[in-house]
Amino acid sequence: MALLEKPIARRWARAMLELAEEKKALAEVGADLDALADAIRKSKDLAHVVASPAFRVEQRRAVLMAVADGGEKKAHQLTRLFLNLLVDKGRLTYLPLIADAFRVEADRRLGRVRAEVHSATPLTKEELEGIAAALKEQAVKRQLGREVLVTANVDPALLAGVRARLGGLVFDGTLKNHLRRIGAELTQNA
Amino acid sequence: MNKKALGLLGFLAAALPAVDALAAGGGGGAHGGGHAPHVEFWKWSMEAPPIGWMVFDFAVFMFLLVRYAGKPLSNYLVQRHTGVKKAMEEAAAAKAEAERKAREYEDRIKKLDAEVAAIKEDFVRNGQLVRERLVENGKVSADRLLKDAQLTISAEEKRALESLKSEAARLALEMAEKMVRERLAAPDHKRMTDDFIRELRS
């Protein structure tokens, strides 16, 4: 079953992607799916509603629509139709995997690349924009994509500086990394 | 065979008158002595057995013996003779063989001292060879053990040194990290972030 989950999820994601692209709502639908997948992953109760056969289809549909419309803005119409279809076909448990597959494929089609930025202290808006711009230059230069979506995280263990992961590349300018390299040199040369 | 039987009967016929004469002579003697011996040849009486019939019986017995048992008896005797002769020959051969072996053993006993000396010499020679081989093997093993021990010592030294280096580096890093944590301030963070952006753009 687990072996088939990803191929099934990819198939659903591709179908949804075609529709979203046709309706020119790729970004909105992608954001909706990401938000729903994130909610299912973070909320045990919601995950239980999605997976447990104890809930009827209508109950599941009602809960999911409430979550989809509960944000700052309502979910896109296409997203709502897609959720209904997933509920009817009993494929709701695949939603997080479908969202992942959708994101990867949508990023590829839109020329987007995702970047994770880790810093020891919270970055200011200007700093984050500067980093995003620099990462975009790198992404264009290395032909990874035309747009960079940056996610910022704080990790005090890094001591100081910033570390960024762009696709498969890592740029490490943290003090922790400097100390690690000094330690390696000390071990080799001592 | 019949000739032999007839010969035997002839012998008996000749012997009977002699016996008769003997009996008659005996009777004369008895007359002189006053008491005649009583011999009967053919008449049955309680005082004297009839010698004539006894001889006749014997002759008939001999005739029957020769007539019916002569040939098997003769064959048996011939076979017996051959068997005894063969047994004697075999015994003679066995005796000769035994004598030959006895002589051989005597010779071997005479040579035994020489054989013992040769075996002893052989043992000594083999013992020396084994000892030399053991000594040689021991030297090879000792050399190998020594080399292994030297390699092990060298590897252990290297490992210990590496461990010390790594431990020293770890302690130094811990101290450095602690000092950095204590002394880092907001301007330092900003400077490092700016450096990161600058390096990313370069």
Side-chain angles (χ1 to χ4, degrees):
Chain A
M1 180 66 185
L3 284 174
L4 291 173
E5 280 179 351
K6 281 194 174 177
I8 291 171
R10 267 203 299 271
R11 207 171 302 162
W12 279 89
R14 213 175 298 133
M16 182 63 186
L17 204 80
E18 298 295 333
L19 273 174
E21 207 168 27
E22 198 179 304
K23 300 281 182 189
K24 302 195 185 306
L26 214 54
E28 292 93 327
V29 171
D32 290 343
L33 290 178
D34 278 343
L36 281 164
D38 196 41
I40 291 171
R41 281 182 174 129
K42 284 179 180 170
S43 166
K44 281 185 183 177
D45 292 337
L46 187 57
H48 182 62
V49 171
V50 165
S52 174
F55 294 94
R56 290 198 307 277
V57 170
E58 288 312 317
Q59 287 176 316
R60 229 176 269 171
R61 195 192 314 274
V63 170
L64 213 63
M65 289 303 165
V67 173
D69 294 337
E72 292 173 0
K73 59 174 186 175
K74 284 190 175 182
H76 193 274
Q77 184 61 25
L78 205 56
T79 311
R80 297 167 66 84
L81 288 171
F82 185 64
L83 289 176
N84 274 317
L85 192 63
L86 285 179
V87 172
D88 290 339
K89 297 288 182 186
R91 298 291 195 191
L92 205 53
T93 49
Y94 291 93
L95 185 56
L97 288 175
I98 292 169
D100 291 343
F102 187 95
R103 184 171 57 250
V104 169
E105 187 59 24
D107 285 350
R108 194 183 64 77
R109 292 193 186 193
L110 292 171
R112 287 190 311 211
V113 60
R114 291 176 188 268
E116 281 182 25
V117 174
H118 296 267
S119 58
T121 54
L123 296 169
T124 61
K125 191 181 173 188
E126 289 77 23
E127 285 172 337
L128 202 55
E129 283 173 358
I131 290 168
L135 286 173
K136 187 178 178 182
E137 286 174 18
Q138 285 288 337
V140 172
K141 192 167 78 178
R142 295 170 192 267
Q143 295 182 337
L144 297 173
R146 299 183 301 276
E147 188 184 349
V148 176
L149 299 177
V150 177
T151 311
N153 300 291
V154 176
D155 183 2
L158 299 175
L159 299 176
V162 180
R163 182 169 65 204
R165 180 188 295 274
L166 179 68
L169 296 170
V170 175
F171 303 96
D172 202 334
T174 60
L175 196 55
K176 184 79 176 174
N177 187 45
H178 284 304
L179 287 175
R180 188 183 57 77
R181 281 159 62 181
I182 290 167
E185 283 177 18
L186 276 176
T187 309
Q188 282 179 356
N189 300 329
Chain B
M1 184 57 65
N2 290 333
K3 283 181 182 175
K4 285 182 182 176
L6 288 171
L8 188 61
L9 284 172
F11 164 74
L12 290 172
L16 277 173
V19 173
D20 194 17
L22 183 63
H31 285 291
H35 182 68
H38 189 74
V39 177
E40 289 292 344
F41 282 101
W42 304 109
K43 190 180 174 184
W44 290 89
S45 78
M46 295 302 287
E47 288 81 15
I51 292 172
W53 283 114
M54 288 172 69
V55 170
F56 181 72
D57 284 347
F58 181 70
V60 171
F61 170 71
M62 286 305 290
F63 171 74
L64 291 173
L65 189 68
V66 170
R67 176 73 177 82
Y68 294 106
K71 200 169 184 177
L73 193 62
S74 173
N75 287 342
Y76 167 74
L77 289 173
V78 168
Q79 280 178 2
R80 176 76 179 149
H81 172 76
T82 311
V84 169
K85 193 176 172 185
K86 193 178 173 186
M88 284 176 71
E89 284 171 0
E90 284 175 358
K95 186 186 171 191
E97 178 66 18
E99 284 173 353
R100 191 186 62 74
K101 282 200 171 176
R103 277 196 302 277
E104 188 184 320
Y105 286 137
E106 280 173 9
D107 289 345
R108 284 181 69 177
I109 286 167
K110 283 176 190 168
K111 290 177 187 170
L112 203 59
D113 289 341
E115 276 187 36
V116 167
I119 290 168
K120 197 173 169 184
E121 193 181 340
D122 199 31
F123 272 136
V124 170
R125 196 166 53 247
N126 282 338
Q128 282 174 344
L129 284 173
V130 169
R131 193 183 69 178
E132 284 168 10
R133 199 161 55 237
L134 285 172
V135 168
E136 188 64 26
N137 288 343
K139 279 181 184 172
V140 171
S141 296
D143 286 348
R144 196 165 52 236
L145 282 172
L146 192 64
K147 278 182 186 171
D148 287 349
Q150 283 171 343
L151 282 173
T152 307
I153 289 167
S154 174
E156 286 296 326
E157 275 179 3
K158 199 174 173 185
R159 198 176 299 134
L161 200 61
E162 292 292 328
S163 177
L164 276 174
K165 278 183 193 176
S166 161
E167 185 61 16
R170 190 185 64 78
L171 287 172
L173 284 178
E174 272 184 14
M175 285 173 65
E177 192 174 321
K178 193 178 172 189
M179 287 169 68
V180 164
R181 274 188 197 281
E182 286 170 359
R183 296 181 187 181
L184 267 178
D188 299 314
H189 285 289
K190 179 164 176 43
R191 185 173 48 78
M192 286 200 74
T193 305
D194 292 343
D195 287 347
F196 176 75
I197 296 169
R198 196 166 41 254
E199 277 180 25
L200 208 57
R201 281 189 160 153
S202 65

